[in-house]
């Protein structure tokens, strides 16, 4: 059994509830435990994971959030920089599944957040579990 931290950027609460439900179900169905920490938005997720990883209490991490395009360039910054920073942490050896949706509109996000549809929260949890397995297999 491993212990996971779900870091949720709670910008759209109703969508996050579905993503977190999907992630939690995947982790618990695999026999793992998890806890959740909430941050304001996707830009705060990578730094929170970095802080939590230093604490040494978690085996792996799941990033959860929803970034929906608005009127300005800010979408590119929030979506792109959160993904880039999470990837950088992964390349540093931190097992992270990225379940931060980046969509054009809420309808697209709803389909992907819903565990009964595309279940991207569960998918991110599966990725986090797989990376943790690979860490155990390859880390000397
Ligand atoms: N527009 C969205 C944001 N924006 C907020 C940023 O993520 C960040 O919290 C703020 O710039 C303060 O540092 N965040 C989302 O998660 N989703 C959005 O659609
Ligand atoms: C992804 C965003 O930052 C977006 O929700 C912000 O909307 P806007 O570009 O209209 O300020």
């Amino acid at each position: 059994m491993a212990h996971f931290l779900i870091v949720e950027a709670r910008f759209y609460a109703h969508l996050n509830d579905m993503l977190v439900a999907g992630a939690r179900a995947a982790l618990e169905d695999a026999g793992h435990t998890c806890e959740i920490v909430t941050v304001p938005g996707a830009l705060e997720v990578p730094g929170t994971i970095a802080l939590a990883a230093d604490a040494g209490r978690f085996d792996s991490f799941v990033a959860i959030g929803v970034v929906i395009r608005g009127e300005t360039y800010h979408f590119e910054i929030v979506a792109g920089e959160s993904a880039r920073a999470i990837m950088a942490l992964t390349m540093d050896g931190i097992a992270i599944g990225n379940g931060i949706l980046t969509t054009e509109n809420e309808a697209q996000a709803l389909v992907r957040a819903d565990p009964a549809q595309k279940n991207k929260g569960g998918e991110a949890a599966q990725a986090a579990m797989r990376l943790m397995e690979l860490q155990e297999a390859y880390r000397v």
Side-chain angles (χ1 to χ4, degrees):
M1 179 182 77
H3 190 50
F4 288 69
L5 181 65
I6 298 174
V7 181
E8 64 148 352
R10 200 161 182 83
F11 209 78
Y12 298 95
H14 66 299
L15 296 171
N16 268 48
D17 287 343
M18 289 189 277
L19 287 165
V20 169
R24 181 191 285 273
L27 295 172
E28 293 175 350
D29 288 352
H32 301 305
T33 59
C34 64
E35 59 188 88
I36 299 168
V37 63
T38 298
V39 295
L43 288 181
E44 284 75 48
V45 170
T48 303
I49 291 173
L51 284 171
D54 284 347
R57 289 178 46 226
F58 307 101
D59 297 291
S60 183
F61 301 85
V62 183
I64 292 293
V66 180
V67 185
I68 299 176
R69 187 180 296 278
E71 297 173 353
T72 70
Y73 187 75
H74 199 223
F75 173 85
E76 274 70 21
I77 296 299
V78 176
E81 287 304 297
S82 59
R84 183 195 57 75
I86 288 170
M87 185 60 68
L89 291 170
T90 301
M91 299 303 288
D92 276 347
I94 301 174
I96 308 169
N98 188 350
I100 297 176
L101 303 182
T102 54
T103 66
E104 297 299 324
N105 54 58
E106 184 170 348
Q108 289 178 349
L110 196 57
V111 168
R112 288 151 182 80
D114 187 350
Q117 296 190 68
K118 288 185 179 280
N119 191 23
K120 292 302 183 181
E123 190 176 287
Q126 295 293 346
M129 287 187 274
R130 180 59 179 150
L131 281 177
M132 183 186 67
E133 288 171 2
L134 293 174
Q135 277 183 344
E136 290 165 0
Y138 295 150
R139 185 168 279 168
V140 291

